[in-house]
């Protein structure tokens, strides 16, 4: 088995989940298994998830009786996975048709990288807001503003989890599990790469913005303060970027959403100007 696709869900919006699943099943690369962990969904949702297995022989649903969080669900998928490579996927995003074949080709050709992400179209409430390009070879300063990888767009080598451990499921990293994982890998000398291609569609709508609660941003601030110090980032830069998630946490979701839209629109105008 070359590839395992791993997804953890809990009471997803069904229409969005079906679109996400179809985007995986319709990849140009077809030799994969698709593991979906049900993280304690309601009985009706659990029944529908189980029925997904009948749609395609590559799908396998794993039932969790109670909600344990994203990190636990992904770690469970990793333990069950048979693939040489492990591709992340979320229940409300889309993988564009060439994503898997491009990422597998990169990892096959570049043994010095442990994982690979890509750029993404950003989808809002019924529209495409813009495109997000990620730094090609993220260094420590690329972790200051935000995670330099779009988590559900990333494909890992299986050995990364065997060597460095999986996601940390402790409450201290709730809603910032991916950021903690990427920081830990970077500190350990396991580096990633971002393909400078748009191979993914990432959702940032009103529902996703409402999840950015202050209690979760406070956890991220503590993580930043600790890890930035370990990475040798000090002084004003360490202090300022530690406060960044707290500022986002106190900002009303509507205001924060408008700011994100403005930022994407400005980037789109800049790209158009540079192309001309």
């Amino acid at each position: 088995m070359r590839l395992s696709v791993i997804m953890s869900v809990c009471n997803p919006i069904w229409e969005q989940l079906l679109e996400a699943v179809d985007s995986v099943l319709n990849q140009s690369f077809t030799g994969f298994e698709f593991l979906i962990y049900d993280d304690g969904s309601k009985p009706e949702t659990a029944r529908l998830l189980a029925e997904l297995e009948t749609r395609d022989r590559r799908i396998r649903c794993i039932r969790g009786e109670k909600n344990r969080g994203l990190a636990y669900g992904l770690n469970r998928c990793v333990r069950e996975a048979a693939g040489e490579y492990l591709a992340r996927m979320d229940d409300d995003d889309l993988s564009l048709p060439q994503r898997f074949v491009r990422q597998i080709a990169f990892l096959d050709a570049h043994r010095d990288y442990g994982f690979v992400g890509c750029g993404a179209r950003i989808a809002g409430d019924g529209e495409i807001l813009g495109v997000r390009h990620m730094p090609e070879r993220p260094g420590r300063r690329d972790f200051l503003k935000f995670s330099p990888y779009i988590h559900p767009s990333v494909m890992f080598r299986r050995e990364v989890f065997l060597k460095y451990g999986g996601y940390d499921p402790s409450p201290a990293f709730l809603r910032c599990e991916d950021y903690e994982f990427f920081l830990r890998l970077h500190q350990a000398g396991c580096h990633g790469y971002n393909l400078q291609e748009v191979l993914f569609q990432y959702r940032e709508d009103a529902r996703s913005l409402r999840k950015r609660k202050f209690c979760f941003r406070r956890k991220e601030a503590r993580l930043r303060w600790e890890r930035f110090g370990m990475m040798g980032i000090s002084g004003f830069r360490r202090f300022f970027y530690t406060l960044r998630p707290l500022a986002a946490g106190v900002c009303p979701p509507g205001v924060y959403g408008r700011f994100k839209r403005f930022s994407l629109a400005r980037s789109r105008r800049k790209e158009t100007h540079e192309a001309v």
Side-chain angles (χ1 to χ4, degrees), residues 258-272:
R258 286 193 292 272
F259 172 77
K260 298 283 282 188
R261 286 171 178 262
F262 172 78
S263 178
L264 285 166
R266 185 174 62 178
S267 297
R268 187 164 59 243
R269 287 194 299 269
K270 181 180 178 181
E271 288 181 359
T272 302

Side-chain angles (χ1 to χ4, degrees), residues 54-90:
T54 64
R55 295 187 57 191
D56 192 290
R57 61 180 178 79
R58 293 171 292 181
I59 297 176
R60 179 156 63 96
C61 292
I62 306 166
R63 171 68 176 162
E65 294 302 325
K66 66 177 183 177
N67 182 263
R68 296 176 181 268
L70 178 64
Y72 179 91
L74 294 180
N75 287 340
R76 177 67 184 276
C77 287
V78 171
R79 290 196 299 271
E80 298 275 348
E84 175 187 358
Y85 299 139
L86 306 178
R88 276 283 291 113
M89 188 65 196
D90 275 346

